[in-house]
Amino acid sequence: RHGGRAVSPADDGYPRRLLDVRPPPPVVFLVGPWVHDGPVVAVVGAREATEDGLDVARELGFGLARSGAAVVSGLARGIDAAAHEGALEAGGRSGAVLGTGIDRCYPRANASLQGRLARSLGLLSEILPGAAPTRSTFASRNRLVAALSDVVVVVQGRAKSGSLLTAQEA
């Protein structure tokens, strides 16, 4: 119903970078192409970001997309959403790794953005469709964001944040 598909490591559509994760997800759910020939940069940060932080994330997403990089993040409010928006404004590619099933949107305020990302690089989750977010699904999401990226940039983040866990995974 959402145009998604399930792929395993044996399938052609399985993102090859995920094979470096130990253990690799046995199945991921995808919406969109999730294929990009150039560099992939994760831009992550605080949900409760400052206006300056949001501006930096948006400009970074825009500049990365203009230079041919795809921007990946977790669709969270704040820095993640600003980076996605910047990349899309530049006409570039951006994709989200979700901490929910691909048929859900969290936070709901990002529903329109999620739809635009599905038509860009796409959406990816290792969480079963229909599943709601939990603390562990966000940790899983952060691990995949790092694995899918050549570089992870943290714009703003607290000392014990998911952003810094993503950087640590990278």
Side-chain angles (χ1 to χ4, degrees):
R1 197 175 72 182
H2 290 79
R5 62 196 183 282
V7 294
S8 74
D11 297 322
D12 287 337
Y14 190 86
R16 292 293 161 237
R17 293 172 186 245
L18 294 182
L19 295 174
D20 293 333
V21 175
R22 293 292 169 237
V27 65
V28 292
F29 302 93
L30 303 171
V31 174
W34 210 267
V35 175
H36 183 71
D37 293 331
V40 178
V41 179
V43 180
V44 298
R47 291 184 307 272
E48 302 299 329
T50 66
E51 284 302 315
D52 286 342
L54 295 172
D55 289 344
V56 167
R58 198 172 296 106
E59 290 171 17
L60 189 57
F62 189 93
L64 287 165
R66 279 284 166 97
S67 71
V71 174
V72 173
S73 200
L75 192 63
R77 70 179 186 272
I79 298 299
D80 291 20
H84 287 307
E85 290 282 359
L88 294 174
E89 280 176 31
R93 313 270 320 267
S94 190
V97 180
L98 306 179
T100 65
I102 58 171
D103 56 339
R104 296 188 65 141
C105 183
Y106 184 85
R108 294 291 311 147
N110 286 346
S112 174
L113 177 58
Q114 182 170 328
R116 290 170 36 222
L117 293 170
R119 294 183 299 277
S120 182
L121 183 60
L123 310 172
L124 182 147
S125 181
E126 69 177 324
I127 312 304
L128 288 172
T134 66
R135 175 173 245 125
S136 67
T137 62
F138 288 124
S140 167
R141 173 197 69 186
N142 296 344
R143 173 178 77 109
L144 298 186
V145 167
L148 290 164
S149 305
D150 295 303
V151 174
V152 173
V153 178
V154 178
V155 174
Q156 288 181 327
R158 292 177 306 182
K160 293 186 179 187
S161 66
S163 304
L164 294 186
L165 292 175
T166 305
Q168 192 173 30
E169 285 287 336

